[in-house]
Amino acid sequence: MDLTKSLLDLTVGGSTWVLWLLLGLSVASVAIMIDKTLIFYRHRFNQDRFVAEIKTSLRQEDWPRIISRCEQERSMEARVLLVGLREIPRSKAAVQDIMKGERLQVGLYLGKRLGFLGTLGANAPFIGLFGTVLGIIHAFKNLALAEGGGGPAVMAGIAEALIATAVGLLVAIPAVVMYNLFHHRLQVVLERSRVLEQLLLAHLDGATGTAEISIPDVELSKSPRRVGRLV
């Protein structure tokens, strides 16, 4: 069995199937970009305004009021602070642990499918280059079978094959840009969550006591389950 001939048979059709593959990958990447954009927009957070609004309540140890303010927010940062506030009656260590766990869940949720964008951005040019190589092989194979020479046809085939490389770059560039943007936004959310955690812990250090927070049991368990479903 001639291995070279067998592999050469795989080039039948040139780069056409690679172009379809890149098209499918580009549709998937655009869908992820739109989804992530909506998620980050939906959970946007004005940290300066939020901190300014809860500072007085923190000094007064008015935990129920801060909880009420957090429940009005749709941001992930407020969600992390909320689960910590509900652990105040237990201990400071419990507050710190639950907020760390909640922050990890938020990171998993916001980082979901970002790996696809990063992988696509790194490998789409190589997929396009692979399609170009297949197209060139196909063009020269047609030249060898043509009678009386087929220079113009070969040049047209090579030009068509180069489209695969161009499409690969066209798919990769937006994927890389959006991956870096979303990854940066994810890190900002996590850092803001850490800031709120440190702010709460600092006030707990100077607190005169951890007053009982009168919240029904159903309310105490609502936020963690909601984040769990998102992840």
Side-chain angles (χ1 to χ4, degrees):
M1 180 179 180
D2 190 343
L3 181 59
T4 302
K5 185 177 183 304
S6 299
L7 293 175
L8 189 61
D9 292 338
L10 296 177
T11 64
V12 175
S15 60
T16 302
W17 70 270
V18 176
L19 289 173
W20 280 109
L21 174 61
L22 287 171
L23 179 61
L25 292 173
S26 68
V27 171
S29 67
V30 169
I32 293 174
M33 292 175 196
I34 293 174
D35 178 60
K36 287 299 178 185
T37 300
L38 292 176
I39 287 174
F40 279 104
Y41 178 78
R42 191 180 304 123
H43 298 293
R44 62 193 182 278
F45 181 62
N46 189 328
Q47 181 178 0
D48 293 337
R49 185 187 65 185
F50 181 81
V51 172
E53 291 176 356
I54 67 172
K55 267 188 175 180
T56 302
S57 299
L58 283 172
R59 287 194 295 266
Q60 296 174 352
E61 301 175 28
D62 190 354
W63 311 123
R65 183 175 181 181
I66 303 174
I67 288 176
S68 177
R69 180 63 185 87
C70 288
E71 290 174 340
Q72 297 171 13
E73 285 282 334
R74 301 186 63 182
S75 65
M76 293 297 179
E77 295 91 336
R79 189 190 305 267
V80 173
L81 179 60
L82 181 60
V83 297
L85 287 165
R86 286 171 169 158
E87 294 298 317
I88 289 177
R90 294 178 60 191
S91 66
K92 177 183 175 182
V95 171
Q96 190 169 11
D97 290 341
I98 195 68
M99 291 184 73
K100 181 179 179 180
E102 193 75 3
R103 190 168 62 247
L104 291 175
Q105 290 193 67
V106 167
L108 289 174
Y109 170 60
L110 295 180
K112 190 186 302 181
R113 291 187 292 274
L114 282 187
F116 177 85
L117 290 181
T119 301
L120 181 61
N123 291 282
F126 295 105
I127 297 174
L129 181 59
F130 176 65
T132 296
V133 172
L134 291 181
I136 292 175
I137 293 174
H138 182 66
F140 278 103
K141 181 180 178 182
N142 291 338
L143 175 62
L145 297 175
E147 295 182 0
V154 172
M155 292 300 104
I158 292 175
E160 181 180 336
L162 288 172
I163 294 176
T165 299
V167 173
L169 292 172
L170 186 62
V171 172
I173 292 173
V176 171
V177 171
M178 297 308 293
Y179 170 80
N180 290 331
L181 176 62
F182 292 141
H183 187 266
H184 172 70
R185 294 303 304 167
L186 169 59
Q187 295 304 313
V188 168
V189 171
L190 296 181
E191 287 303 317
R192 285 174 174 172
S193 300
R194 291 189 183 94
V195 169
L196 293 180
E197 177 184 349
Q198 294 302 315
L199 183 64
L200 177 59
L201 294 177
H203 281 80
L204 289 180
D205 282 337
T208 57
T210 54
E212 290 292 332
I213 301 177
S214 179
I215 304 174
D217 292 340
V218 63
E219 290 296 323
L220 282 169
S221 59
K222 181 176 69 172
S223 179
R225 285 207 306 267
R226 182 175 56 180
V227 175
R229 288 200 301 268
L230 290 175
V231 175

